[in-house]
Amino acid sequence: MGRTRITTLQRIMKDIRTELLKEAEKIKPEEYNWEPRPKMRTLKGQIQEIGSMEKICIHNLRTQQPLDWGKAIAWSGEDLVAHLKDLEGVRKETNQFLDSLRDDKELDKPHQLLPEWRQFWWNQESISSEEILRWVARHEYYHLGQIISYLWILGNNPYKP
């Protein structure tokens, strides 16, 4: 059967990222550090959350080692353009990982979860590599929804082109 599930994962991730980039075009520089309420994540924080989670998950899949959240990505700047470029680099690593898999059966391999991650997967000790990759996609889509909501609050109605 080949790489059907791998290709599907890549397509899903690409579709979500395309939508994220479309929404990111609407963010004005003066809005990037805006928070809807005190102590809520900013638009910048949402973008960094997406990148850091993906980087940490892929690093863990590749090495079985943890990666410190605050040091996962050496952000190349403080603005949206720099962060989107950094996200592109993280996605390139993700695609390289997916491309390195010989076939879909490799997605079924159990992956030992870090103890602090087990709470997110019903306290299981291991899950398939595919489930971690699906988590990365769901996580990005979740934060994309938050970005869309933030932009709507700022006057960018998602139902009007």
Side-chain angles (χ1 to χ4, degrees), residues 82-94:
H83 291 155
L84 293 177
K85 183 178 178 194
D86 295 335
L87 282 183
E88 184 181 320
V90 172
R91 182 52 53 86
K92 183 177 180 183
E93 291 176 31
T94 300

Side-chain angles (χ1 to χ4, degrees), residues 66-116:
L67 189 59
D68 182 78
W69 185 269
K71 298 176 184 172
I73 298 176
W75 298 102
S76 62
E78 291 298 318
D79 64 345
L80 177 61
V81 172
H83 291 155
L84 293 177
K85 183 178 178 194
D86 295 335
L87 282 183
E88 184 181 320
V90 172
R91 182 52 53 86
K92 183 177 180 183
E93 291 176 31
T94 300
N95 283 324
Q96 287 172 342
F97 173 76
L98 285 162
D99 288 341
S100 75
L101 302 177
R102 292 182 305 266
D103 57 41
D104 284 348
K105 291 177 186 168
E106 290 195 57
L107 291 171
D108 298 325
K109 287 183 181 176
H111 179 78
Q112 195 70 24
L113 289 171
L114 299 169
E116 60 270 22

Side-chain angles (χ1 to χ4, degrees), residues 4 41 63 68 117:
T4 305
R41 191 174 283 130
T63 68
D68 182 78
W117 286 20

Side-chain angles (χ1 to χ4, degrees), residues 37-51:
R37 294 184 59 95
K39 300 189 182 193
M40 283 182 73
R41 191 174 283 130
T42 62
L43 286 161
K44 173 183 172 181
Q46 299 289 355
I47 298 289
Q48 290 180 314
E49 169 80 15
I50 290 166

